[in-house]
Amino acid sequence: MPFVNIRILEGHSQERKNEMTRRIVDAVSEIAELPKESVWVVFEDISADDWFVGDRSVRTIRSEKRS
Protein backbone atom coordinates (compact mmCIF):
# COMPACT_ATOMS: atom_id res chain seq x y z
CA MET A 1 0.00 0.00 0.00
CA PRO A 2 1.72 3.23 -1.13
CA PHE A 3 1.76 6.04 1.42
CA VAL A 4 2.41 9.55 0.11
CA ASN A 5 3.29 12.17 2.71
CA ILE A 6 3.18 15.75 1.46
CA ARG A 7 4.66 18.53 3.56
CA ILE A 8 3.38 21.84 2.31
CA LEU A 9 3.29 25.39 3.58
CA GLU A 10 -0.02 26.07 5.28
CA GLY A 11 -2.53 28.21 3.48
CA HIS A 12 -3.37 26.05 0.46
CA SER A 13 -7.09 25.61 -0.09
CA GLN A 14 -8.85 22.30 0.39
CA GLU A 15 -9.78 22.41 -3.29
CA ARG A 16 -6.10 22.57 -4.25
CA LYS A 17 -5.24 19.68 -1.93
CA ASN A 18 -8.11 17.65 -3.35
CA GLU A 19 -6.82 18.20 -6.89
CA MET A 20 -3.26 17.34 -5.90
CA THR A 21 -4.52 14.18 -4.22
CA ARG A 22 -6.57 13.16 -7.25
CA ARG A 23 -3.59 13.53 -9.58
CA ILE A 24 -1.16 11.77 -7.23
CA VAL A 25 -3.52 8.85 -6.62
CA ASP A 26 -4.18 8.51 -10.36
CA ALA A 27 -0.45 8.44 -11.15
CA VAL A 28 0.58 6.04 -8.38
CA SER A 29 -2.36 3.75 -9.08
CA GLU A 30 -1.57 3.61 -12.79
CA ILE A 31 2.18 3.13 -12.47
CA ALA A 32 2.04 0.65 -9.57
CA GLU A 33 -0.94 -1.15 -11.10
CA LEU A 34 -2.88 -0.92 -7.84
CA PRO A 35 -6.44 0.11 -7.10
CA LYS A 36 -6.86 3.74 -6.12
CA GLU A 37 -8.19 2.66 -2.73
CA SER A 38 -4.72 1.26 -1.93
CA VAL A 39 -3.03 4.67 -2.17
CA TRP A 40 -2.92 6.81 0.98
CA VAL A 41 -2.14 10.53 0.85
CA VAL A 42 -1.49 12.68 3.93
CA PHE A 43 -0.88 16.42 4.00
CA GLU A 44 1.20 18.04 6.72
CA ASP A 45 0.62 21.79 6.79
CA ILE A 46 3.75 23.54 8.02
CA SER A 47 3.75 27.15 9.16
CA ALA A 48 6.07 29.63 7.46
CA ASP A 49 7.76 30.11 10.84
CA ASP A 50 8.65 26.41 11.03
CA TRP A 51 9.86 25.93 7.44
CA PHE A 52 13.46 26.96 6.86
CA VAL A 53 15.59 27.46 3.78
CA GLY A 54 19.11 27.46 5.04
CA ASP A 55 19.05 29.42 8.29
CA ARG A 56 16.09 31.65 7.38
CA SER A 57 12.41 30.91 7.87
CA VAL A 58 10.06 31.18 4.92
CA ARG A 59 8.24 33.95 6.79
CA THR A 60 11.49 35.94 6.93
CA ILE A 61 12.22 35.33 3.26
CA ARG A 62 8.69 36.41 2.28
CA SER A 63 8.88 39.56 4.37
CA GLU A 64 12.22 40.49 2.77
CA LYS A 65 10.71 40.10 -0.73
CA ARG A 66 7.87 42.49 0.15
CA SER A 67 10.28 45.18 1.28
Side-chain angles (χ1 to χ4, degrees), residues 9-54:
L9 284 169
E10 64 187 2
H12 293 274
S13 69
Q14 188 61 49
E15 293 78 21
R16 180 175 288 164
K17 291 178 185 178
N18 291 347
E19 180 64 16
M20 289 174 65
T21 299
R22 185 188 65 75
R23 292 183 190 197
I24 291 163
V25 168
D26 285 349
V28 172
S29 174
E30 178 185 337
I31 294 166
E33 298 179 355
L34 293 168
K36 291 179 181 183
E37 296 77 24
S38 296
V39 182
W40 291 24
V41 178
V42 173
F43 284 90
E44 290 184 62
D45 293 313
I46 311 295
S47 77
D49 289 322
D50 292 331
W51 193 302
F52 287 80
V53 178

